[in-house]
Amino acid sequence: MSTHTDSAANGTDRAAFDIDDPKLTRFQIVQEGARRDDIEIVHYEPQFPVAGTKAERRMTRTVAGMFLLTGLAATAFLVIYIWWPWKYEAGAGADKFYTPLLGLTLGLALLFVGFGILTWGKKLLPKEVSIQDRHLVHTSDEDRKIVGNTMLYMADELGVKRRPLLGISLLAGLAPVGAVAAAPLLGGLINQPHKNNQMFTTGFAPHNGELIRLVREDGTPVRPEEVSAGGQITVFPGIPHGVSNRHADSPTLLIHLRESDAQSARQANAKVGHEGYMWGNYTAFSKICTHAGCPASLYEQQTNRLLCPCHQSQFLITDNAKPVFGPASRRLPQLPIEVDDEGFFVAKSDFTETVGPDFWERP
């Protein structure tokens, strides 16, 4: 490509062509604009020289069908996103298909819209090959008019006016796709996230005024003498299904601190208003990492640090399980504990802070 400026002869040619002549067609104006921009149309071939042929109508229906399938797939995504049961239930239930169906419907919507646009461009738009020399000129009013008519001509070439089915199907197909894009932003407003206080309640919440015991994985309750000094044990709420995934937010680490460490822990508790959360030298913290929900289960008794193996977050147990290393930014919630009349550990109340990864609705 070469760079040059307009010549006097080019200016003469411009004067000979009246851009405001009402007899000119839009395509003639486009041709004049191409000529002034030193564009040589090497090849220009309409896909269907004769409008309204069976082949053109068949291809139009094919493209329209792809756009309509896009709309159906996107609508199915919205229906599944809003109404399909998503809450986990034990066994083989409909909730197991929630995420796969979302992926399938969204994938089909994007696939059909992609094929629709490609087919429209390959099979309905004219074939054109043009060569243009690069040049620098001042933009005149006539040039702006030519550009405007060129854009309108391109819109005409899309064939939406001549083929209204394409426009209708495109609108019907892409409108649900737009709704799909907005669904994650508005989805949280569809259902009340605090229904039954589910974000703030675990299996340790007292039931009918009765305190919940801390039990092992086999369901047996725990006595203080069963945890040696410096040792720890994972405990669960002593309720039906308390050791199952139904209460996956409830696993807790019960730790028996040494005397000096327990004193430091009690002093740290007093600073944050957690007096009475410990029983003797025993303390209990949620085992769910506040970074990504992994099990923070590696306890180093010499340093009193609890390590999450997923992303290496470390929590200092003697300082309210404060994060001291890694990506976690919030301490592990502490479970208030005591011993009942039979000598077993019980939760004095549920966790007073949200368990697991932080979220924007946490007060």
Side-chain angles (χ1 to χ4, degrees):
M1 293 187 180
S2 61
T3 302
H4 62 84
T5 57
D6 290 341
S7 63
N10 195 9
T12 303
D13 291 341
R14 287 195 177 199
F17 192 94
D18 185 7
I19 200 72
D20 295 317
D21 187 349
K23 296 180 181 179
L24 294 177
T25 64
R26 183 169 290 157
F27 182 65
Q28 289 174 321
I29 295 176
V30 172
Q31 286 180 315
E32 172 62 13
R35 185 184 65 81
R36 293 187 183 186
D37 283 338
D38 297 321
I39 297 176
E40 178 185 359
I41 300 178
V42 179
H43 178 76
Y44 187 88
E45 177 187 356
Q47 296 277 9
F48 300 97
V50 180
T53 61
K54 290 183 178 180
E56 181 183 11
R57 292 197 299 271
R58 181 171 59 252
M59 190 55 59
T60 299
R61 289 193 296 269
T62 299
V63 175
M66 292 182 182
F67 289 146
L68 291 176
L69 288 174
T70 298
L72 289 175
T75 301
F77 176 95
L78 293 173
V79 171
I80 294 168
Y81 183 85
I82 297 172
W83 286 289
W84 193 274
W86 57 268
K87 189 174 181 180
Y88 175 82
E89 297 289 345
D95 59 294
K96 307 303 184 298
F97 298 98
Y98 180 70
T99 300
L101 286 176
L102 288 180
L104 177 64
T105 52
L106 181 58
L108 288 176
L110 297 178
L111 183 68
F112 286 131
V113 72
F115 277 130
I117 293 174
L118 288 175
T119 306
W120 192 347
K122 292 289 187 180
K123 300 298 183 180
L124 290 176
L125 295 183
K127 299 177 181 178
E128 178 181 339
V129 178
S130 301
I131 300 175
Q132 179 183 16
D133 289 336
R134 184 180 302 162
H135 58 92
L136 302 175
V137 295
H138 175 69
T139 303
S140 64
D141 292 338
E142 286 190 348
D143 291 332
R144 287 191 287 270
K145 183 173 183 178
I146 289 173
V147 170
N149 278 271
T150 300
M151 295 179 68
L152 293 174
Y153 181 75
M154 291 171 61
D156 289 343
E157 287 297 288
L158 290 176
V160 175
K161 290 184 178 179
R162 184 160 53 92
R163 310 177 185 115
L165 179 61
L166 285 179
I168 296 173
S169 62
L170 183 62
L171 179 62
L174 294 187
V177 173
V180 166
L185 300 177
L186 302 177
L189 303 178
I190 297 174
N191 291 323
Q192 166 58 268
H194 305 306
K195 183 179 180 181
N196 299 326
N197 206 26
Q198 60 187 9
M199 301 298 293
F200 301 93
T201 304
T202 71
F204 288 108
H207 182 68
N208 294 329
E210 294 185 7
L211 301 183
I212 306 302
R213 282 181 173 176
L214 280 58
V215 301
R216 299 179 180 83
E217 191 171 3
D218 60 5
T220 58
V222 181
R223 294 180 182 274
E225 58 270 20
E226 295 172 343
V227 185
S228 59
Q232 51 81 26
I233 183 175
T234 300
V235 293
F236 306 87
I239 59 176
H241 309 289
V243 190
S244 70
N245 284 334
R246 187 174 299 183
H247 294 281
D249 56 355
S250 300
T252 300
L253 202 64
L254 175 65
I255 303 172
H256 185 181
L257 297 172
R258 295 183 176 87
E259 182 61 37
S260 59
D261 296 330
Q263 290 180 5
S264 299
R266 279 190 289 269
Q267 292 172 0
N269 276 9
K271 293 179 181 179
V272 295
H274 284 184
E275 298 91 340
Y277 275 47
M278 295 176 59
W279 184 88
N281 294 343
Y282 295 83
T283 187
F285 289 94
S286 170
K287 200 174 179 179
I288 310 301
C289 181
T290 54
H291 169 236
C294 300
S297 55
L298 302 179
Y299 179 62
E300 212 293 307
Q301 59 175 275
Q302 299 300 324
T303 61
N304 291 304
R305 290 192 178 194
L306 185 62
L307 170 68
C308 177
C310 291
H311 305 97
Q312 311 307 311
S313 292
Q314 295 182 22
F315 304 88
L316 185 57
I317 296 301
T318 53
D319 191 10
N320 299 296
K322 176 183 176 181
V324 292
F325 183 82
S329 60
R330 187 167 66 92
R331 65 191 182 196
L332 296 172
Q334 186 174 7
L335 181 69
I337 58 174
E338 64 180 9
V339 173
D340 62 16
D341 296 338
E342 298 182 32
F344 296 108
F345 277 113
V346 295
K348 297 172 63 175
S349 71
D350 200 353
F351 289 98
T352 55
E353 297 176 276
T354 53
V355 169
D358 209 353
F359 59 99
W360 68 274
E361 294 165 306
R362 185 174 66 86

